[in-house]
Amino acid sequence: HLQNADRARKAKQLERAEIELRAALRLLEKSPERRTHTRVLSALGRLKGDKQQFAAAGSLFEASIDIQLTEMGTEGLVSDDLVHDMGQLAMVRNLQGNPAAAESLLTRILTLREEGDISLDPIEPNYYQVFGLLAGFVRERGLTQRADSLQALSETYEQYVLGFNAQVQGQYPKAQEHYQKALSSGEKVLGTHPDIARFCRDLSVAY
């Protein structure tokens, strides 16, 4: 069902994709396999979003998030899945005209990370993307100064990710350039944050 749904969605056959996902959901209702269950709910949420049925999309993402936070436990939780679904729900809430709710969801992602409930490393694109989305939602609320700070954080960590990726590929001059940009902007927006030491360490390794 999931493979059929994916093929149908890629072919823009949204009704067919929904039929397949609903069939998969029925099979999983009594299954102990919660991870697959949440991923089907998430896929249905994306599908409803594609069809601009935002209320239904929001309910599906909420259901997936609730299972992940209350039933899966720390060992079963996949951080990328939770961050994805909370980000998707935030965008739905913003499209529904509620940027404050969208901001709250993204702030909760950062709180979960700080409390150690999810893994979200600065080398992951999801990390800087959360700050970028937050900046957009905050700007819509007219909070320009805070939005600028969040955007600067997003750009700082994006440069770090670009530097890390370049280093992994053996492109050391390019890595140095990106790390240096991350360090320069990070010193302004992060101050004495531990990630400054991390930027310095990885910059020195790239030389």
Side-chain angles (χ1 to χ4, degrees):
H1 290 298
L2 295 178
Q3 291 178 348
N4 290 340
D6 187 53
R7 284 193 290 267
R9 187 167 183 257
K10 289 177 179 177
K12 308 297 183 184
Q13 298 171 352
L14 301 186
E15 296 301 328
R16 183 64 196 172
E18 182 169 352
I19 289 171
E20 294 289 350
L21 288 171
R22 293 285 182 192
L25 201 58
R26 284 193 296 273
L27 291 173
L28 289 164
E29 281 178 353
K30 297 181 180 180
S31 169
E33 181 46 68
R34 309 308 279 160
R35 184 179 299 172
T36 305
H37 192 174
T38 60
R39 287 175 175 173
V40 173
L41 287 168
S42 179
L44 267 170
R46 293 194 302 274
L47 189 66
K48 290 295 187 181
D50 290 344
K51 297 165 75 173
Q52 298 189 339
Q53 297 174 4
F54 299 125
S59 295
L60 288 159
F61 285 125
E62 283 180 334
S64 176
I65 291 165
D66 182 63
I67 292 172
Q68 291 177 75
L69 290 175
T70 64
E71 298 184 28
M72 294 179 66
T74 304
E75 292 183 1
L77 187 65
V78 178
S79 297
D80 284 348
D81 288 357
L82 182 60
V83 171
H84 171 272
D85 287 354
M86 293 181 78
Q88 289 290 313
L89 181 56
M91 288 189 281
V92 167
R93 293 292 178 252
N94 191 57
L95 287 167
Q96 290 177 310
N98 194 346
E103 179 187 348
S104 178
L105 281 158
L106 295 179
T107 301
R108 191 179 181 197
I109 291 174
L110 298 174
T111 300
L112 288 168
R113 176 183 182 266
E114 289 171 5
E115 294 175 349
D117 293 320
I118 62 172
S119 171
L120 188 58
D121 194 275
I123 63 172
E124 299 175 41
N126 276 341
Y127 191 57
Y128 74 76
Q129 288 167 2
V130 167
F131 288 115
L133 284 173
L134 259 175
F137 298 150
V138 169
R139 198 176 303 281
E140 288 192 27
R141 297 175 60 204
L143 305 174
T144 304
Q145 187 173 359
R146 182 158 180 257
D148 288 345
S149 296
L150 288 164
Q151 186 60 43
L153 277 171
S154 177
E155 292 170 359
T156 294
Y157 284 108
E158 182 177 11
Q159 288 299 322
Y160 178 65
V161 170
L162 291 170
F164 179 82
N165 290 341
Q167 182 177 344
V168 168
Q169 295 167 13
Q171 300 173 353
Y172 296 109
K174 190 174 181 180
Q176 293 164 22
E177 179 184 349
H178 288 301
Y179 282 147
Q180 188 60 61
K181 288 180 179 178
L183 181 59
S184 297
S185 60
E187 287 174 338
K188 297 175 185 176
V189 297
L190 291 169
T192 57
H193 193 280
D195 281 344
I196 295 298
R198 180 173 181 161
F199 297 166
C200 289
R201 180 200 67 198
D202 288 351
L203 176 60
S204 67
V205 171
Y207 275 99

